Amino acid sequence: MIDEHEVRDRIVAAADALYYARGIHEVGMDAVRAASGISLKRIYSVFPSKADLVVAVLGERRHVWDRDLGRSLASADGARGRLLAIFDFLRTWFETDDFRGCFFINTYGESGATSEAVHAVVRQQKADFQALVERLALEAGGTEMLGRQLSLLAEGAQTSAAIAGDPSWADDGRAAAEALIDLAIGTVAAPASGSARTHA
Amino acid sequence: MIDEHEVRDRIVAAADALYYARGIHEVGMDAVRAASGISLKRIYSVFPSKADLVVAVLGERRHVWDRDLGRSLASADGARGRLLAIFDFLRTWFETDDFRGCFFINTYGESGATSEAVHAVVRQQKADFQALVERLALEAGGTEMLGRQLSLLAEGAQTSAAIAGDPSWADDGRAAAEALIDLAIGTVAAPASGSARTHA
DNA sequence: AACCGCAGAGAACGAGCGTTCTCAGATTCG
DNA sequence: CGAATCTGAGAACGCTCGTTCTCTGCGGTT
């Protein structure tokens, strides 16, 4: 167990599971030590502080999210299919036993206000996801705004499913996405409301 | 300052502001004491524990949300107008200086996992909002599903606007809502006389 | 005036946290 | 073989927090 890389992975994996299940501030470094089997001294030699470990966990979550979502998108046909596959991906995620909402959103609620480093990672993850959806929306023949609208649906589905404990919110998101996509790319005649904005 | 009721209000108001700005676990009882000007002894005579205070703050947030949203809806015309007014309401809220997302969602991320009482209040608030939107959707001539879809947009707008620090997500939500509503109730060419269902 | 009771201010307490230190045992190298 | 170095386990430290306790002084009643 001298392998620096594996030690790091085990610490992050243990912390990730604990943080996601209980919330970051509810999990002490000693719990990470117990779950990972790595001594405190070694943990601190890899991550100088808990904040560094938190950032590493967020990074790992990002990586896993990108990889898993990417796989789901890769097995879908066409840009429209990939957009809808996002919601299928969410649905299967929501159905997992330990689903407790989006780790990034939860972490923002917990420490976004006080830790700028954490807030930055969360903001970046959300921005990247939105950019991905916008790109797919353009590929599907829609506008950037369509992408933003679909992002909202995906975001809302995550918090709604988490709080209500009901995975079916992914289906509502999917249905709404389908309607918006078809409306935008002209499968259905669109009411030309366009930029009518009564606000401000 | 013997008025039990005013004392309670001042404690809750001080705690609410601090909790929302910094997160609950970042705010100690002593900070609530300093901000409210009420002694610790008195605070504990009204709220036997911090958890009780947290629940009271959540209740007050709920009350304020219901009242303010209700006012916005009351000044809108028709069910369709009231549905869209939700997003105008969100937009003005997002623009306030101290906006830091939905207190309920943030609180869920922070203590929903460990405190069942907190989780219950959060779940109830979201369920009630969803029920309201569903009711409006039915009044507008749409389905329950339309209501659920619009809920997702509102929910997503709150987290997206908070994390990105960008109030304009409310506008994307509004535009998507408009499209979904019109698609659902088929007003593409229908005149305003379609209000066979009247409710003034 | 004398007593009683209560309220305010904040010190005190026990627990838990992040972080550091100690120490015993293993390992390595001359 | 022996000495120097490293490592793991966990005790220890300093701090903060939620909660309780103590002490001091004021107000009301007779």
Side-chain angles (χ1 to χ4, degrees), chain A residues 26-185:
Chain A
E26 294 287 337
V27 176
M29 295 298 277
D30 197 63
V32 176
R33 177 202 57 78
S36 66
I38 315 279
S39 75
L40 273 180
K41 193 177 178 182
R42 199 98 142 98
I43 293 177
Y44 273 94
S45 77
V46 181
F47 302 104
S49 74
K50 181 176 181 178
D52 294 298
L53 176 55
V54 168
V55 170
V57 168
L58 285 167
E60 176 64 14
R61 275 268 156 181
R62 249 203 87 149
H63 177 246
V64 171
W65 165 274
D66 287 347
R67 188 197 58 198
D68 290 353
L69 178 59
R71 280 182 190 156
S72 284
L73 297 192
S75 63
D77 282 337
R80 182 178 181 281
R82 282 196 287 280
L83 283 170
L84 293 177
I86 293 173
F87 295 89
D88 296 330
F89 170 74
L90 290 180
R91 167 92 206 198
T92 58
W93 178 33
F94 295 171
E95 281 168 345
T96 57
D97 287 346
D98 56 354
F99 174 68
R100 252 203 75 234
C102 173
F103 187 58
F104 296 92
I105 294 173
N106 292 349
T107 301
Y108 170 80
E110 190 170 1
S111 26
T114 49
S115 167
E116 185 48 41
V118 166
H119 190 174
V121 178
V122 172
R123 199 187 310 118
Q124 189 64 48
Q125 137 79 13
K126 291 304 179 192
D128 288 350
F129 174 71
Q130 284 150 10
L132 166 70
V133 179
E134 282 182 23
R135 199 166 349 111
L136 287 174
L138 291 177
E139 282 179 25
T143 62
E144 280 185 4
M145 195 194 204
L146 172 64
R148 290 168 63 91
Q149 294 176 351
L150 302 186
S151 294
L152 286 187
L153 290 169
E155 217 65 71
Q158 288 174 60
T159 60
S160 295
I163 291 175
D166 176 8
S168 73
W169 284 101
D171 302 332
D172 296 288
R174 192 187 200 278
E178 210 167 357
L180 289 172
I181 294 168
D182 291 344
L183 202 60
I185 68 180

Side-chain angles (χ1 to χ4, degrees), chain B residues 70-89:
Chain B
R71 281 182 190 157
S72 285
L73 297 192
S75 64
D77 284 336
R80 181 178 181 280
R82 281 198 287 279
L83 283 170
L84 294 177
I86 292 172
F87 295 90
D88 297 330
F89 170 74

Side-chain angles (χ1 to χ4, degrees), chain B residues 100-118:
Chain B
R100 264 191 190 82
C102 173
F103 187 58
F104 296 91
I105 295 173
N106 293 348
T107 301
Y108 170 79
E110 189 169 1
S111 22
T114 49
S115 166
E116 184 48 41
V118 165

Side-chain angles (χ1 to χ4, degrees), chain A residues 12-33:
Chain A
V12 170
D16 178 275
L18 291 170
Y19 289 168
Y20 182 61
R22 298 193 223 154
I24 292 172
H25 79 271
E26 294 287 337
V27 176
M29 295 298 277
D30 197 63
V32 176
R33 177 202 57 78

Side-chain angles (χ1 to χ4, degrees), chain B residues 26-29 40-41 44 48-50:
Chain B
E26 294 286 339
V27 177
M29 295 299 275
L40 273 180
K41 192 177 179 183
Y44 272 93
S49 74
K50 182 176 179 176

